Amino acid sequence: MIPAAFEYHAPASLADAVKLLGQHGDEAKILSGGQSLIPLMKLRLATPRHVVDINGIAGLDYLKEEDGVLRIGALVREADLEDSEFIRARYPLLHDTSRVVADPLVRNLATVCGNLAHADPANDHPAAMLALGAEVVATGPRGERRIAITSFFTGPFATALRGDEVLTEVRVPVPLPRSGGAYLKLERKVGDFATAAVAVQVALDPAGTCVHAGVGLTNAGTVPIKARRAEGFLRGKPLDDATVRRAGELAAEEADPVDDVRGSAAYKRDLVRVLTARALRLAAGRAGAGR
Amino acid sequence: MVPRTPPEVGGMGHSVKRKEDARFIRGKGTYVDDIQLPGMLYLDIVRSPLAHARITKIDTSKALAIPGVLAVITGADLAKYNLHWMPTLMSDTQMVLPVEKVMYQAQEVAAVLATDRYIAADGVDAVEVAYEPLPVVVDPIKALAPDAPVLRTDKTDKKDNHIWHWEWGDRAATDRAFAEADVTVRQDIYLPRIHVASIETCGCVAHFDRVADKLTVWMTTQAPHAIRTVFALVAGHVGLAEHKIRIISPDIGGGFGGKVPVYPGYVIAVAASVLTGKPVKWVEDRMENLQADSFARDYHMTCELAARKDGTLTALRIKTIADHGYADAAANPSKFPAGLFHICTGSYDFQAAHVEVDGVYTNKPPGGIAYRCSFRVTEAVHAIERMTDLMAHHLGMDPAEFRLKNFIRPEQFPYRSALGWEYDSGNYAAALRKAMDRIGYAELRREQAEKRQRGELMGIGISSFTEIVGAGPSKHFDILGLKMFDSAEIRVHPTGKVIARFGTRSQGQGHETTYAQIIAEELGIPVADIQVEEGDTDTAPYGLGTYASRSTPVAGAAGAMAARKIRDKARKIAAYLLEAAEDDLVWEPGRFSVAGAPHRFKTIQDIAFAAYTNHPQGMEAGLEAVSYYDPPNLTYPFGSYICVVDIDKGTGQVKVRRFVAVDDCGNIINPMIVEGQIHGGLTMGLAPALYEEIAYDENGNIQGGSFIDYLLPTAVETPRWETDKTTTPSPHHPLGAKGVGESATVGAPAAIANAVVDALWHLGVRHVDIPITPAKVWKLLREKGVSE
Ligand SMILES: Cc1cc2nc3c(=O)[nH]c(=O)nc-3n(C[C@H](O)[C@H](O)[C@H](O)COP(=O)(O)OP(=O)(O)OC[C@H]3O[C@@H](n4cnc5c(N)ncnc54)[C@H](O)[C@@H]3O)c2cc1C
């Protein structure tokens, strides 16, 4: 559990970081929270020759609502979401998610943006961001560009980021009126990656009809999954028991899990069904409570 | 029990704060990895990616080219000294480093010696090994098939994978009882392979001093003295004599049986130090520890119970296939290849019983150690407690009533079991009744019935276990011929302070405190004035070490006996000082006084001073004693645990809602330490019940080889333990004490498994093998048509 030798860089500005990435190409890796990268390096599954630590760059740790979006900077830690009363009240889905990522020690360091950039289908934030319809900001040598979350995850551990880009921000649209969200995760023990998990975000009209629904699935396929059929089914319906159950079935059909040590594909698929229905009930309750 | 000594003295029954904690909670413990010696080299190990393969080439050139890599040691190098194989404690053999083939994934293949730890790791990465894969045998039952590949080709006469057959009990009487029985039940029960996963992994610093011609090894071992003898026996031919070997077992971060065996890494480090004349450190990482060190359990049991219609148990029969991996590296007493598995009649009065165990080789790491249990007692308890529940349910009887009906009754003690053990003392019904009262058993059964009506799944499980600890009487117990006595040496200094040394080695049990309390109890000297030391073979008296809950029953007893010898001498000195006859003196803890004249007394401190300054003519000076204690019998702690679980129909998750543990370990030395041992033990019992397993795929790839997949429960998974006790002293132990370090680990899994089956019985579920994972429960529920 000792990593191979590497060179360590600690740029003080974003521009320097981008430059280092440009110089070293495939041989460089960004280090943010380090909670995925360092374990991989210790196991020598990752052997970057250059590690570019972005923790010394000022001004990347903002968490604020501005111009209709929640902006989460690259150095916002899971613990920042977990500890924020504002996030708990207004973005319950994000709050739920941050609380079940790993354990408190990991959450003190792990970043939300790193959780997306790492693109592990078992990571929790990708599904949450899919349910929320987020957008990612990438900063490279030619400046910033925005990437819709739906086109960000291109494969297992692969994203639309270029080698010389830093993921500098994730943007979450501010919630519609009468919104609620929830994240439910089944893990073998605390701190484990999900056997399966479901993120939902819904908005209701004054009569209680669902006007917006986002459903994201964690560890239910080789990439994070947006359960579009379940989402489409929910829109325009009251979130009664039959509806949420049916949505659970649809989400389960959209899941594409495999057998592994966490359980059989059939088990995981059924968990998606059960958890989707439960999460929708919880989210609908939260949306109603804010009415 | 009301303590006989005041709190300042702190004898038995006082919750004295642990003396060792002063250093542990300040991070000032000294573990093996804290040892730093000048010029120390580091060893790291190349391990096999394959479970069974012929080694065709080991190319060390790239590794040797790395600056700082001093040597790459292979099996061929060790073979020159005939050190490439070593004996196991069970008279089997295992490789130190292979010359021909590897037998399990993660087996040691070569070792890199370097000037620092990082370079050693780079060296490991650079060693190139070519393998030719061989057919892998994972399943011990298939391993016994006639066409199975023979694994131990090193044993020229070996034509199959069968290691040994062992049986015990009266087969004919048992068969007869089964033939005559009204009711019989039968169940296959698998107790999976698990790992102790102690927080500190294994390691050593070996230092061969060429000038003194002496080898000192700081080593994570539970049995330093036995290890010294083993080293002398194994390496005698290369010139290591026993007086030139010193084993120091410093602070140990958990042993649980996993630090009894000798691992190849220790031997390689010693060889490397002898060859280089430099200190060599080897410390495993977590994955090496989980993947290569000795496992526990792995018993495939077929269990049968016979009973009369009225619910009286009559006979028990168990056949077991024991998967030992590629070598039998258990650490059982030599006469008992299946340990004390024949305690499996448990707390019940049987007419007849018969057990058979067959040891089998597979392509897995060697072992079969006693993980926080006295040599296979956990396996025995799981079998009998699961079967008892099965029979009760089968007969439509309440499992608590069924147990109460079949318990060995208090007046039957000392009780000779159908399998020949003599139980020292017990009152099983009292413990179970107390647990039932504590948890509100009748009310829980009502709640369960109501919930069942609503389709909710709730279960109540009981385990009324009997343990067998404190090995053991020399007549039956030895390891490699070394009798399983243990020892204490007490010296009282002139000012009445004490140093006491023991042949055992604490790994978290709190010996520095409890042994001091035993001496305080016997001599009335305050615990604060008593320093306890263990673990250094140059200073401590010879003993067999700490495992199988033997420290208090054996070394603790030795402590009491040595203290009594001191008290006898103290009486003589007091008589001399008080000018009274010895028989006229009255002892109360800490002083002798003259009968009828209590103001005429001498304290133990006065006497200690006199022992060096004013001792009677003709008496040797000094106040010290040694005792080597050969226990007349084992001790039989017991208890009753009741657990309530709720099961999530949607996800299959099992939640332990309540858990009441009533333990009886005889007279208690330190109630706080006992409670701590039980809390920790219960969590270690919860672990295999719901979470932990080391499984292998069909190619012999380990599935639980890191803490990602080897699921150690945390505080979050742990329920609130509710503990209580009854006290039934051991009649033969000098203090009436029994062992307690393992009761909870041994007893808890069955209570949890029984609760789960209890919740699902009405659906037609009869048994679930542990660990009872959500995935397993989900599958059962869906098979039975239950869903959310
Ligand atoms: C014990 C343990 C348990 C865990 N359990 C969970 C869990 O249950 N759920 C879960 O979701 N995660 C879990 N994790 C992973 C943890 O949340 C990760 O740390 C997180 O996913 C990655 O964030 P990071 O900031 O630590 O990224 P790092 O480890 O620093 O980086 C991860 C990868 O992303 C790249 N990267 C990081 N930041 C950026 C950026 N700003 N721009 C471009 N590329 C970047 C890195 O180059 C690297 O390839 C666990 C980790 C541990 C150690």
Side-chain angles (χ1 to χ4, degrees):
Chain A
M1 293 216 206
I2 290 177
F6 59 88
E7 204 170 318
Y8 174 79
H9 307 269
S13 73
L14 202 51
D16 285 351
V18 168
K19 202 153 91 201
L20 282 163
L21 292 176
Q23 268 167 22
H24 300 294
D26 284 352
E27 300 204 322
K29 276 275 178 203
I30 294 176
L31 175 88
S32 52
Q35 299 301 296
S36 292
L37 182 61
I38 291 174
L40 287 175
M41 287 171 65
K42 284 188 165 188
L43 295 170
R44 300 196 179 206
L45 293 172
T47 49
R49 299 286 293 276
H50 299 269
V51 168
V52 181
D53 183 347
I54 61 171
N55 286 277
I57 301 175
L60 289 178
D61 58 354
Y62 53 86
L63 174 65
K64 59 185 175 196
E65 239 180 46
E66 210 171 71
D67 306 330
V69 289
L70 174 71
R71 300 176 59 195
I72 304 174
L75 290 178
V76 171
R77 319 281 165 176
E78 297 291 350
D80 296 331
L81 297 188
E82 186 185 9
D83 296 344
S84 162
E85 177 53 29
F86 168 71
I87 295 293
R88 192 193 62 76
R90 208 158 146 75
Y91 297 91
L93 167 53
L94 285 182
H95 193 253
D96 282 3
T97 309
S98 66
R99 294 188 51 187
V100 295
V101 169
D103 53 52
L105 284 81
V106 171
R107 296 201 288 270
N108 284 338
L109 287 168
T111 63
V112 179
C113 288
N115 199 286
L116 299 175
H118 190 52
D120 183 341
N123 276 359
D124 291 300
H125 273 296
M129 295 303 174
L130 284 167
L132 287 164
E135 197 177 61
V136 157
V137 178
T139 304
R142 285 167 298 281
E144 286 187 0
R145 67 183 180 115
R146 297 195 197 168
I147 309 167
I149 193 75
T150 44
S151 45
F152 184 68
F153 303 108
T154 54
F157 302 94
T159 69
L161 285 177
R162 298 188 190 113
D164 54 3
E165 283 179 326
V166 181
L167 196 174
T168 42
E169 180 176 304
V170 52
R171 299 179 166 210
V172 177
V174 298
L176 297 167
R178 290 172 299 277
S179 280
Y183 189 70
L184 290 184
K185 168 175 176 177
L186 189 98
E187 50 191 3
R188 295 172 300 174
K189 63 174 257 196
V190 69
D192 190 20
F193 289 96
T195 305
V198 177
V200 306
Q201 177 73 13
V202 296
L204 309 178
D205 72 7
T209 302
C210 175
V211 293
H212 167 86
V215 180
L217 312 179
T218 298
N219 223 3
T222 52
V223 289
I225 290 173
K226 185 167 165 69
R228 294 174 195 274
R229 283 172 56 211
E231 292 174 349
F233 173 78
L234 287 164
R235 271 194 294 275
K237 294 196 181 61
L239 297 182
D240 55 24
D241 193 57
T243 305
V244 302
R245 278 173 176 276
R246 181 65 194 137
E249 287 166 9
L250 289 171
E253 286 171 21
E254 290 173 89
D256 187 19
V258 292
D259 295 345
D260 64 17
V261 288
R262 289 192 172 74
S264 65
Y267 174 51
K268 295 176 184 177
R269 193 183 290 281
D270 198 46
L271 281 180
V272 169
R273 178 185 69 81
V274 170
L275 296 178
T276 303
R278 288 184 186 177
L280 282 167
R281 284 189 200 104
L282 186 57
R286 285 170 171 173
R291 214 182 306 192
Chain B
M1 196 178 91
V2 187
R4 291 200 308 145
T5 55
E8 322 77 84
V9 172
M12 279 180 71
H14 288 291
S15 286
V16 175
K17 284 195 183 148
R18 300 198 335 157
K19 292 166 72 117
E20 41 272 83
D21 284 347
R23 65 178 187 280
F24 291 146
I25 61 180
R26 285 181 241 192
K28 298 288 184 194
T30 303
Y31 299 91
V32 162
D33 209 3
D34 295 318
I35 308 287
Q36 300 290 345
L37 299 179
M40 190 165 72
L41 305 177
Y42 291 82
L43 191 85
D44 200 349
I45 291 177
V46 180
R47 291 179 183 272
S48 170
L50 299 175
H52 195 199
R54 194 172 306 286
I55 296 171
T56 54
K57 187 165 184 226
I58 300 179
D59 183 347
T60 61
S61 55
K62 287 198 181 120
L64 288 170
I66 298 173
V69 170
L70 304 179
V72 179
I73 302 164
T74 64
D77 299 323
L78 294 182
K80 289 179 213 149
Y81 307 94
N82 198 26
L83 283 175
H84 55 315
W85 285 86
M86 62 177 176
T88 71
L89 295 177
M90 300 313 293
S91 307
D92 200 348
T93 51
Q94 82 181 89
M95 289 177 235
V96 178
L97 285 174
V99 286
E100 192 203 341
K101 57 179 193 168
V102 286
M103 298 289 265
Y104 66 92
Q105 188 181 52
Q107 186 182 333
E108 300 79 359
V109 173
V112 174
L113 192 63
T115 48
D116 89 26
R117 193 171 255 180
Y118 290 77
I119 294 171
D122 287 346
V124 164
D125 223 27
V127 173
E128 290 171 336
V129 186
Y131 300 95
E132 184 187 301
L134 294 168
V136 177
V137 180
V138 176
D139 180 339
I141 293 148
K142 288 187 189 151
L144 291 176
D147 58 345
V150 177
L151 299 181
R152 291 299 298 266
T153 46
D154 58 291
K155 303 187 178 199
T156 41
D157 54 338
K158 195 97 198 107
K159 298 285 176 276
D160 58 26
N161 297 315
H162 185 252
I163 315 175
W164 42 256
H165 172 83
W166 174 86
E167 62 178 85
W168 202 264
D170 187 335
R171 183 193 288 267
T174 306
D175 289 349
R176 224 177 307 120
F178 269 90
E180 289 164 4
D182 299 330
V183 203
T184 61
V185 288
R186 180 191 165 100
Q187 181 63 51
D188 287 338
I189 299 175
Y190 175 50
L191 222 55
R193 184 173 274 243
I194 54 174
H195 198 282
V196 302
S198 48
I199 293 304
E200 181 201 28
T201 60
C202 293
C204 68
V205 174
H207 179 30
F208 182 69
D209 179 334
R210 282 184 176 164
V211 176
D213 191 27
K214 180 156 184 172
L215 174 71
T216 304
V217 191
W218 288 262
M219 179 171 170
T220 49
T221 178
Q222 299 173 231
H225 302 275
I227 295 287
R228 185 187 68 195
T229 303
V230 169
F231 273 21
L233 293 174
V234 173
H237 65 283
V238 292
L240 282 178
E242 196 164 3
H243 67 302
K244 295 288 189 185
I245 303 171
R246 178 182 185 188
I247 307 292
I248 300 175
S249 176
D251 286 328
I252 301 284
F256 309 111
K259 289 174 181 163
V260 175
V262 176
Y263 294 114
Y266 298 138
V267 180
I268 307 168
V270 168
S273 181
V274 172
L275 290 176
T276 59
K278 300 219 166 160
V280 174
K281 180 183 276 188
W282 166 70
V283 176
E284 296 170 327
D285 69 27
R286 175 60 58 192
M287 288 169 73
E288 296 179 288
N289 177 262
L290 282 174
Q291 296 181 7
D293 287 4
S294 293
F295 69 91
R297 323 286 189 243
D298 217 342
Y299 257 32
H300 298 257
M301 306 181 281
T302 300
C303 310
E304 293 172 279
L305 270 190
R308 288 201 279 272
K309 274 201 294 285
D310 69 352
T312 308
L313 285 170
T314 55
L316 166 73
R317 191 156 56 195
I318 304 182
K319 286 195 167 84
T320 295
I321 301 288
D323 184 343
H324 275 277
Y326 95 89
D328 182 358
N332 292 319
S334 307
K335 288 198 183 66
F336 303 107
L340 310 185
F341 185 60
H342 44 317
I343 187 66
C344 57
T345 54
S347 309
Y348 312 100
D349 189 11
F350 281 96
Q351 282 170 21
H354 187 253
V355 290
E356 291 174 71
V357 184
D358 288 277
V360 178
Y361 289 129
T362 58
N363 286 120
K364 296 178 199 163
I369 52 153
Y371 170 1
R372 205 168 182 175
C373 106
S374 188
F375 313 119
R376 304 287 189 187
V377 178
T378 312
E379 289 86 333
V381 164
H382 203 76
I384 186 64
E385 286 305 307
R386 275 295 301 124
M387 292 308 287
T388 306
D389 243 51
L390 192 65
M391 180 61 98
H393 276 109
H394 189 76
L395 290 166
M397 288 179 70
D398 181 276
E401 285 310 315
F402 184 76
R403 284 180 168 80
L404 289 167
K405 185 178 171 66
N406 284 289
F407 278 149
I408 300 161
R409 294 182 312 281
E411 64 273 17
Q412 288 176 280
F413 290 91
Y415 169 83
R416 182 160 291 277
S417 78
L419 290 172
W421 296 112
E422 188 178 299
Y423 292 24
D424 60 346
S425 64
N427 187 346
Y428 302 152
L432 177 53
R433 290 225 163 83
K434 193 162 199 177
M436 290 167 75
D437 287 350
R438 267 294 293 261
I439 206 158
Y441 187 74
E443 180 49 40
L444 285 168
R445 285 286 176 206
R446 271 192 293 279
E447 181 193 341
Q448 182 187 31
E450 265 167 38
K451 289 210 159 133
R452 207 164 270 182
Q453 295 278 311
R454 295 201 297 269
E456 291 172 35
L457 301 173
M458 162 188 168
I460 305 160
I462 303 175
S463 169
S464 292
F465 62 92
T466 289
E467 266 227 287
I468 171 169
V469 309
S474 56
K475 192 151 73 126
H476 298 300
F477 288 88
D478 70 83
I479 287 182
L480 295 176
L482 300 166
K483 301 294 189 188
M484 294 182 74
F485 57 81
D486 226 293
S487 62
E489 178 204 85
I490 304 174
R491 295 188 198 163
V492 185
H493 306 316
T495 53
K497 316 295 178 190
V498 172
I499 183 159
R501 295 189 169 111
F502 291 78
T504 47
R505 186 24 159 165
S506 184
Q507 312 123 38
Q509 293 89 339
H511 291 177
E512 284 168 51
T513 310
T514 49
Y515 286 164
Q517 287 185 266
I518 290 172
I519 295 167
E521 176 77 9
E522 295 295 331
L523 295 180
I525 296 174
V527 160
D529 293 350
I530 302 167
Q531 182 187 344
V532 170
E533 287 184 3
E534 303 171 283
D536 183 341
T537 57
D538 267 9
T539 57
Y542 202 97
L544 272 272
T546 294
Y547 40 86
S549 293
R550 63 188 300 282
S551 296
T552 294
V554 192
M561 300 314 265
R564 287 175 193 180
K565 290 184 191 174
I566 286 175
R567 205 165 71 204
D568 289 344
K569 181 167 181 184
R571 177 185 289 271
K572 290 191 169 59
I573 298 173
Y576 167 73
L577 296 174
L578 292 164
E579 297 178 356
E582 278 179 51
D583 289 349
D584 288 342
L585 296 185
V586 183
W587 168 256
E588 59 188 290
R591 65 168 67 187
F592 279 107
S593 56
V594 178
H599 60 284
R600 292 188 57 214
F601 67 87
K602 288 290 170 192
T603 66
I604 187 76
Q605 289 79 9
D606 298 334
I607 297 166
F609 198 66
Y612 296 88
T613 57
N614 178 26
H615 55 286
Q617 283 277 314
M619 179 189 275
E620 285 183 14
L623 196 55
E624 57 183 73
V626 182
S627 169
Y628 279 69
Y629 187 77
D630 181 2
N633 190 5
L634 296 139
T635 70
Y636 295 74
F638 60 93
S640 270
Y641 295 169
I642 307 183
C643 145
V644 183
V645 300
D646 296 304
I647 296 179
D648 184 328
K649 285 190 295 189
T651 62
Q653 260 180 316
V654 173
K655 186 162 170 37
V656 177
R657 190 206 309 172
R658 285 190 67 195
F659 197 110
V660 166
V662 175
D663 272 279
D664 192 321
C665 58
N667 290 336
I668 288 177
I669 298 163
N670 182 320
M672 181 192 70
I673 288 183
V674 167
E675 198 182 349
Q677 290 289 310
I678 291 170
H679 274 234
L682 289 171
T683 305
M684 277 189 140
L686 172 79
L690 297 184
Y691 303 102
E692 295 175 358
E693 174 169 14
I694 295 213
Y696 289 83
D697 71 9
E698 66 277 14
N699 297 317
N701 296 310
I702 191 165
Q703 304 296 292
S706 77
F707 277 165
I708 298 176
D709 291 315
Y710 193 71
L711 305 174
L712 238 57
T714 70
V716 176
E717 284 76 28
T718 305
R720 203 176 72 85
W721 307 117
E722 301 170 61
T723 58
D724 210 329
K725 63 168 189 288
T726 58
T727 303
T728 313
S730 167
H732 63 78
H733 186 275
L735 304 167
K738 301 181 175 184
V740 74
E742 302 168 330
S743 293
T745 320
V746 167
I752 297 168
N754 284 342
V756 172
V757 176
D758 186 64
L760 304 175
W761 183 272
H762 64 293
L763 302 173
V765 173
R766 297 293 170 258
H767 177 73
V768 194
D769 279 330
I770 62 170
I772 304 174
T773 60
K776 266 188 206 169
V777 176
W778 172 87
K779 187 156 180 284
L780 285 171
L781 290 172
R782 297 302 182 267
E783 278 166 10
K784 305 294 180 192
V786 177
S787 183
E788 174 174 293

